[in-house]
Amino acid sequence: MEYNMTGTTKVWSVEQTQTGIQEAAAVLAVGGVIAFPTETVYGLGGDARNTEAVERIFAAKGRPSDNPLIVHLADREEVYVLVEQVNEVEEMLMEAFWPGPLTLVLPVRAGAVSELVTAGLDTVAVRVPAHEIARALIQQSGCPLAAPSANRSGRPSPTQAKHVVEDLDGRIDGILDGGATGVGLESTVVRVLAGEVHILRPGGITREQLQQAVGSSRVALVRTPEKKDNKEQVQVPRSPGVKYTHYAPKGEMLLITGKQEKLKVIVQEKADEAKKRGCRVAILSCSEHISSYQADEVFDCGPYNVPHQAAHSLYALLRECDERGVEFIVAEGYSEDGIGAALMNRLRKAAGGHEITIE
Ligand code: AMP
Ligand code: MG
């Protein structure tokens, strides 16, 4: 297939998946860029070895060039083509979680991928996605796919094909619609140094799961620079992307965490204050509290003890707030156990640090 940049974006519906994968794979093979579903969020893929394709990804997203991309592979064996070496702990993690939402940062083999993918670092981030469409697409294209989330930079990541259309229609070659994604948050990014697993970005694989897989090895969350209590033993290079305010809705957002009883009162109080200032207000609530609240929009994020439901729907709800012209969002916090850690990380980013903790 001839590749030409026509400025139109082809969308393959769920019913057209098989032909869609074939056509999209052919576009990728000649340097095009395609959005596709993964089990985390929709990715925007291009041949990681082709600098022009990678440039198109950065341009379509408006992504800063110092934020490196994750390379998606169809099979674990392909990782050895891209990286210098894989240690014992990394092998254990691949064995336990691939295919799946875990990204490993590994020493890159010189010249294996475009320097734009790694943003000039001596490491490359890789994962094998679990979504069937993603793996078939990678396999048929014959390319390792550099694929960040398929949103405009700074917008919530897309969890449905329509979100990709909203952000990137006319800027990319095609979109494979595979329905809503499962996890709804991005992959967990880890780096193993001196036998210790450092979580650079919390995500779909939880700290508890990582700990179970690596037994006696230490698993630690690398704290963001603004937190002063960083007691990491090993100096870990941070993930360049974590310094950016991602996942931001258009309106202002306030996160309220802490004791459940008082929390309801404060949430309603803050919503009322914003209303008095003339804002259109939304509350993101757990199912248990939903009937107590009054606001322009009250969204049910699922039961407090089922954080993966909130994770699954968070980005779609943030986009819905934008669509409905919401100017102020009050969001309830969830427990930080399991996927709750990644959920709270994204809620904090969306709130830009505005948080009230109730003692
Ligand atoms: P996204 O593609 O939007 O899901 O973001 C990818 C994340 O992986 C960002 O936070 C990047 O900074 C991080 N990342 C990608 N490559 C590397 C690398 N070589 N070292 C550290 N972090 C990386
Ligand atoms: Mg992203």
Side-chain angles (χ1 to χ4, degrees), residues 63 67-70 105 121 123-125 148-149 189 200-201 239-241:
R63 183 171 172 114
N67 192 2
L69 307 182
I70 295 171
V105 173
L121 298 172
T123 51
V124 62
S149 49
V189 180
L200 306 186
R201 175 181 75 181
S239 191

Side-chain angles (χ1 to χ4, degrees), residues 14 114 134-135 137 145 185-186 229 252:
V14 175
S114 164
R135 291 183 73 194
L137 183 67
L145 291 186
L185 302 179
E186 298 81 353
D229 60 339
E252 206 180 317

Side-chain angles (χ1 to χ4, degrees), residues 74-156:
D75 284 297
R76 179 172 162 188
E77 282 60 43
E78 289 166 22
V79 81
Y80 306 100
V81 179
L82 302 186
V83 312
E84 285 289 347
Q85 67 206 40
V86 180
N87 68 36
E88 211 177 308
V89 176
E90 290 156 350
E91 291 283 359
M92 277 159 84
L93 292 173
M94 291 178 193
E95 182 65 32
F97 301 113
W98 283 5
L102 180 73
T103 296
L104 289 166
V105 173
L106 299 165
V108 67
R109 195 179 281 273
V113 294
S114 164
E115 284 202 358
L116 289 182
V117 169
T118 57
L121 298 172
D122 55 6
T123 51
V124 62
V126 286
R127 86 174 184 103
V128 175
H131 200 292
E132 273 180 31
I133 295 178
R135 291 183 73 194
L137 183 67
I138 302 165
Q139 223 148 26
Q140 290 190 32
S141 70
C143 312
L145 291 186
S149 49
N151 52 292
R152 291 279 291 170
S153 252
R155 294 269 288 146

Side-chain angles (χ1 to χ4, degrees), residues 178-199:
T181 59
V183 180
L185 302 179
E186 298 81 353
S187 62
T188 302
V189 180
V190 302
R191 174 120 192 232
V192 180
L193 282 176
E196 295 183 349
V197 181
H198 299 270
I199 302 173

